[in-house]
Amino acid sequence: MMTKRSPAQKKTVGSADVAKHPILEPFNPLRQVMWRRPGFLIRRLTQIGQAIFFDLCKSESITPLQVGMLTALSMNPWLDQKAIGRELSLDRTTTAEVLKRLGDKGLVETRVNPDDRRSRLSVITTDGLNLINDLQESIHRSQELLIEPLSPEDRAEFMRLLAQLVDAHEKKEKMDKEIGAG
């Protein structure tokens, strides 16, 4: 006679039944090589994160980069293109293209800078603010899902290490620019 397990009595990875039938993945030499490259894994994780984001925010036809720009403009209205690029670590061309797309959607308004007629100032519109507010739950959930496979302790450590890596490389980049300019 079989007895039904309660949810608290689920089989665990270490249980005898699971140990009898391990799921073996076929040997993949390319995976062995590529999974030792942090750049590859970071790019792959970015793809996974974007796929999760698009799945949760698909009805809005917006990209994570566009959300980042709207977020930056919601916190700092009337930034010029150079400042936006600096805030998001984007090159001038990418910044201009994303601002144009957001402007075409009516999510950002751009004006000539009265202090420097060569530059443009941008601000998030009411529609842009409404969109960001409407997407907050989905944006937050996409971030949670991305690191959900990690334990809470590992999530905190992962985020700490990511911030440490980005900070160290940004400081080095800034020093290299200062040395090159001096």
Side-chain angles (χ1 to χ4, degrees):
M1 179 170 133
M2 278 185 89
T3 58
K4 189 173 178 180
R5 288 191 172 111
S6 72
Q9 296 173 312
K10 286 182 181 175
K11 286 185 185 180
T12 61
V13 175
S15 74
D17 290 359
V18 174
K20 288 180 189 174
H21 306 286
I23 299 172
L24 298 175
E25 290 191 28
F27 176 70
N28 182 333
L30 182 60
R31 183 179 174 123
Q32 296 295 318
V33 171
M34 297 303 289
W35 282 54
R36 290 188 183 132
R37 296 179 180 172
F40 170 79
L41 292 173
I42 291 166
R43 182 184 63 77
R44 184 66 188 112
L45 191 59
T46 298
Q47 291 173 323
I48 292 165
Q50 289 179 344
I52 293 169
F53 174 90
F54 287 125
D55 187 50
L56 293 175
C57 302
K58 61 185 161 214
S59 66
E60 299 305 329
S61 172
I62 192 159
T63 69
L65 182 54
Q66 290 172 345
V67 166
M69 193 168 288
L70 289 173
T71 302
L73 288 171
S74 73
M75 298 173 156
N76 299 298
W78 297 114
L79 287 178
D80 66 21
Q81 180 178 318
K82 196 181 237 183
I84 295 168
R86 217 176 17 255
E87 289 289 323
L88 299 174
S89 300
L90 299 173
D91 62 83
R92 201 168 83 193
T93 302
T94 302
T95 303
E97 289 173 3
V98 174
L99 280 172
K100 180 175 179 354
R101 285 190 202 106
L102 291 172
D104 291 347
K105 293 179 181 183
L107 304 174
V108 166
E109 179 186 324
T110 301
R111 295 183 185 164
V112 172
N113 183 344
D115 298 328
D116 180 359
R117 307 225 18 102
R118 294 171 297 162
S119 75
R120 304 284 179 266
L121 301 174
S122 297
V123 67
I124 189 170
T125 63
T126 302
D127 287 347
L129 283 170
N130 290 338
L131 178 63
I132 288 294
N133 286 330
D134 292 347
L135 288 176
Q136 280 308 300
E137 190 175 318
S138 295
I139 292 167
H140 180 72
R141 183 69 182 134
S142 73
Q143 299 299 301
E144 286 179 340
L145 287 171
L146 181 61
I147 59 174
E148 187 176 63
L150 301 175
S151 70
E153 297 80 21
D154 286 347
R155 290 175 200 168
E157 181 69 0
F158 178 71
M159 293 303 296
R160 186 189 69 74
L161 290 170
L162 277 177
Q164 180 181 336
L165 276 170
V166 170
D167 186 54
H169 285 285
E170 284 184 347
K171 285 177 180 171
K172 183 184 179 317
E173 187 178 290
K174 185 178 178 183
M175 277 184 34
D176 290 348
K177 282 182 183 178
E178 289 171 1
I179 291 169

